[in-house]
Amino acid sequence: SSLTSVTIPNSVTSIGEFAFSYCSSLTSVTIPNSVTSIGNTAFYCSGLTSITIPNSVTSIGNNAFLGCSGLTSITIPNSVTSIGEWAFAQCSSLTSVTIGNSVTSIGDYAFYYCNSLTSIVSNAVVPPVLGSEVFSYSNNYCNTTVPCGSLLAYIASSWNNYFPTRITEGLSFDLSVAANDDSFGSVSVVEMQSCNVRMLIATPSSCKSFVAWNDGNTNNPRIVTMTSDTSFTAIFESIEISNDITAAICQGSAYTENGFNVSEAGVYTQNLQTINGCDSIVTLTLTINPVATTALQAAICQGETYAENGFNISQAGVYTQNLQTINGCDSIVTLTLTVNPVATTALQASICQGETYTENGFNVSQTGVYTQNLQTINGCDSVVTLTLTVNPVYSFTIDATINQGETYHGNGFEVSEAGTYTQNLQTVNGCDSVIVLDLTVNSSLGDVVANTIEVALYPNPAENYTVLEVQGLKEQTKVALFDVRGRKLREFDLSAGTESVRLDLRDLPSGVYTLMIGNTTKKLIVE
């Protein structure tokens, strides 16, 4: 009883018996186009004020809307063929009913106790067969309208028992026609074969024309089908032949055509008549084109010629041309011409070996003389000549030996351990100078001689590990690993008689290393 709204999806094809019966708070229902039948007592809803029945419904069941006292009007669509017993009975507020053209039968008491009915429209050409007490006899004051040509059939049927003298043919609507001005024209009405169809004809007076009807329709004659009281007004207007002229003259001249004699800019009108005596209005829009004076500023490059606006000059100065504008009026053009010089620039530059000179539009890396053809900010030629010097990069290696415990001083080095060291310096020209020091430290072990130890590494180059093989090791000897910069990375002892040891290289980045065993060194490449 508290249900106020219902949404019926398009998948529903029928509304069954008592589906929404006694839903007293339900006020409005829209039935989807998928529904074809409404079952018995489907809506017994006293609060229902609005119901939309789609064209898909073919039958309305018994008591379908019984007691829907809030309904004021109902339209039975053309798809419905039968209305069940008591279908709309006791709809006490119902004032108007429209019955579709396919209804063939209306069941017993279908509209019984609908005491407020004042209008019934039946679109069925053949009167639907009525059951018992379809309408209350108190409805005999209700106006009933039936299709044109069906009046006699309805009067001869049981319909006349309920609505004596209240059945009329067609749509009884008033039609009113008029002209917006009686002196401009008149309107006539012609009856057509159908009782609710008329032809409207608008006839304009001399020098007048029909424009449209008051609802915007421009058909003349016009066929109208009346569905309510209707009024139409034909809108006429005077025929005025308008001729718009647009003209231009030069300052100091006069326009004397088409009856005008004017020399000032503006809009002018002449009221004339055609040979038929109708008004003809000529409107002139006159423009005065001035004598033009133009001052030009221009610049060219040395050796060029200015050839625009009728000039042909190559020297700086002030020049004048007497021309005509596109409108044919005088035009005085004064030109002030500037001649910009061609620029020549010589550049001296130097780079280090391996570098590229990329300034001023160049991209060169070899010693030589190069030329670029550019433009100045004025758009003239600018020739840039580059004399490029490439300074060399120096690289040399120093082999040195010290005794254990000593320090090597010189060339920027200060080291005391065997290894390979590098210094990055600069020449007087600012280019790289690379010095590499290979330092050997003589061991203090008195009975170890470098030539008595044979050392091998495999694999070399290596990735994750390498094997150090030593032949002739007679006493414990230190083994050290250095990087390319001479930094000691590892150090361990080999016992006398050791012949091989596996070295783990997984923590070393790729590069070149030095392995020192006593006074013997080996290069190790890690990939």
Side-chain angles (χ1 to χ4, degrees), residues 60-316:
I60 298 174
N62 299 339
N63 310 312
F65 298 94
L66 174 66
C68 293
S69 56
L71 285 177
T72 58
S73 66
I74 189 71
T75 298
I76 310 299
N78 291 334
S79 56
V80 173
T81 59
S82 64
I83 301 172
E85 298 175 359
W86 296 86
F88 297 94
Q90 298 179 8
C91 292
S92 56
S93 298
L94 197 61
T95 60
S96 65
V97 174
T98 300
I99 300 172
N101 57 22
S102 298
V103 174
T104 59
S105 64
I106 302 175
D108 298 343
Y109 303 96
F111 295 94
Y112 200 68
Y113 289 121
C114 295
N115 297 327
S116 297
L117 271 177
T118 59
S119 173
I120 297 175
V121 175
S122 176
N123 292 312
V125 174
V126 177
V129 176
L130 302 180
S132 299
E133 304 291 329
V134 172
F135 302 98
S136 297
Y137 284 99
S138 60
N139 295 141
N140 60 7
Y141 55 84
C142 178
N143 292 319
T144 302
T145 305
V146 300
C148 293
S150 298
L151 178 60
L152 295 179
Y154 274 82
I155 292 175
S157 71
S158 58
W159 283 77
N160 197 48
N161 297 333
Y162 296 99
F163 313 109
T165 73
R166 289 285 182 173
I167 302 177
T168 58
E169 186 181 43
L171 302 179
S172 301
F173 303 122
D174 291 331
L175 175 64
S176 173
V177 295
N180 63 326
D181 188 326
D182 291 339
S183 65
F184 281 22
S186 61
V187 182
S188 58
V189 179
V190 178
E191 293 187 4
M192 306 298 287
Q193 289 182 346
S194 181
C195 58
N196 60 336
V197 179
R198 299 289 185 272
M199 177 188 289
L200 309 183
I201 302 174
T203 304
S205 302
S206 177
C207 291
K208 310 299 179 186
S209 66
F210 169 77
V211 178
W213 302 97
N214 58 305
D215 60 355
N217 188 293
T218 58
N219 291 335
N220 185 29
R222 177 185 182 181
I223 304 297
V224 295
T225 300
M226 293 176 292
T227 59
S228 62
D229 291 344
T230 310
S231 63
F232 292 98
T233 301
I235 301 173
F236 299 98
E237 66 178 16
S238 296
I239 297 176
E240 292 183 350
I241 300 175
S242 297
N243 187 11
D244 295 330
I245 300 172
T246 300
I249 58 174
C250 295
Q251 187 175 355
S253 301
Y255 182 86
T256 57
E257 299 179 21
N258 301 292
F260 295 97
N261 187 6
V262 288
S263 57
E264 299 292 334
V267 179
Y268 302 91
T269 302
Q270 286 276 9
N271 291 316
L272 308 175
Q273 279 192 335
T274 66
I275 56 175
N276 297 318
C278 300
D279 290 339
S280 175
I281 300 175
V282 181
T283 301
L284 168 67
T285 301
L286 184 65
T287 301
I288 306 297
N289 294 318
V291 173
T293 301
T294 305
L296 300 177
Q297 300 284 336
I300 59 173
C301 297
Q302 185 176 354
E304 295 180 346
T305 298
Y306 182 86
E308 298 179 20
N309 300 292
F311 294 97
N312 188 11
I313 48 179
S314 56
Q315 300 295 322

Side-chain angles (χ1 to χ4, degrees), residues 341-354:
V342 173
T344 302
T345 305
L347 300 177
Q348 299 285 334
S350 63
I351 58 174
C352 295
Q353 185 177 354

